[in-house]
């Protein structure tokens, strides 16, 4: 099992951060590699919502990375699981209030299969790079707050 986690403190209230994160249309603004995303079924931002997503994969390929929201607790937590694509990752965003700011932890876990199982180190580095994109989320949200 490969696991990666990262957290940042964002100078925004938890509800604003949650609202931004739960709106999957915002993913391309802070997650490198997300090419397109649209709601496939369910209510946007709610438990059970399924999103069709295309992402850039290693080698310049574009792959499907459809996912479902499996938990949505306003202002506190969003969990999801990938339904389609080369990696069946599970992940979540966990929010906690720290004064006027919000700590956001992004956690991913995946059981690599096939070739990925033999390439554990590069796979783990890629997962770590994914969660570290929270720094970009922080920049986007704090820049919005200044405007």
């Amino acid at each position: 099992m490969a696991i990666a986690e990262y957290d940042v403190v964002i100078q925004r209230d938890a509800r604003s951060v949650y609202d931004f994160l739960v709106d999957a249309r915002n993913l391309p603004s802070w997650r490198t590699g997300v090419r397109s995303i649209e709601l496939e079924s369910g209510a946007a931002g709610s438990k059970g919502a399924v999103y069709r997503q295309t992402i850039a994969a290693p080698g310049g390929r574009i792959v499907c990375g459809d996912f479902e929201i499996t938990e949505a607790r306003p202002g506190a937590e969003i969990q999801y699981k990938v339904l389609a694509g080369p990696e069946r990752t599970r992940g979540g965003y966990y929010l906690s209030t720290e004064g006027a700011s919000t700590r956001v932890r992004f956690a991913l876990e995946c059981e690599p299969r096939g070739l990925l199982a033999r390439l554990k180190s590069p796979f783990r580095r890629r997962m770590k790079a994914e969660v570290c994109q929270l720094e970009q989320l922080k920049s986007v949200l704090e820049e919005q707050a200044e405007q």
Side-chain angles (χ1 to χ4, degrees), residues 28-81:
S29 71
W30 70 276
R31 292 207 46 199
T32 304
V34 176
R35 298 294 180 242
S36 68
I37 189 155
E38 62 187 46
L39 180 64
E40 172 103 347
S41 65
S46 300
K47 184 175 180 176
V50 175
Y51 291 88
R52 176 166 299 257
Q53 175 180 240
T54 57
I55 54 177
R61 299 176 298 126
I62 301 294
V63 297
C64 183
D66 298 356
F67 66 92
E68 175 184 4
I69 295 178
T70 58
E71 189 65 49
R73 293 185 322 128
E77 170 183 16
I78 304 162
Q79 292 184 34
Y80 67 92
K81 66 179 178 181

Side-chain angles (χ1 to χ4, degrees), residues 105-117:
R105 182 172 59 93
F106 183 14
L108 291 174
E109 66 178 46
C110 184
E111 185 67 50
R113 299 177 294 184
L115 179 62
L116 293 176

Side-chain angles (χ1 to χ4, degrees), residues 110-124:
C110 184
E111 185 67 50
R113 299 177 294 184
L115 179 62
L116 293 176
R118 292 190 297 272
L119 301 173
K120 287 183 181 169
S121 291
F123 181 72
R124 284 195 167 112

Side-chain angles (χ1 to χ4, degrees), residues 71-137:
E71 189 65 49
R73 293 185 322 128
E77 170 183 16
I78 304 162
Q79 292 184 34
Y80 67 92
K81 66 179 178 181
V82 175
L83 303 171
E87 302 161 9
R88 300 302 164 94
T89 307
R90 290 177 303 284
Y93 307 103
Y94 305 91
L95 288 66
S96 59
T97 299
E98 293 190 5
S101 302
T102 304
R103 180 172 299 276
V104 180
R105 182 172 59 93
F106 183 14
L108 291 174
E109 66 178 46
C110 184
E111 185 67 50
R113 299 177 294 184
L115 179 62
L116 293 176
R118 292 190 297 272
L119 301 173
K120 287 183 181 169
S121 291
F123 181 72
R124 284 195 167 112
R125 277 194 301 272
R126 201 166 77 242
M127 282 184 63
K128 183 66 175 176
E130 276 294 310
V131 295
C132 288
Q133 289 185 62
L134 275 184
E135 292 293 343
Q136 182 61 26
L137 173 69

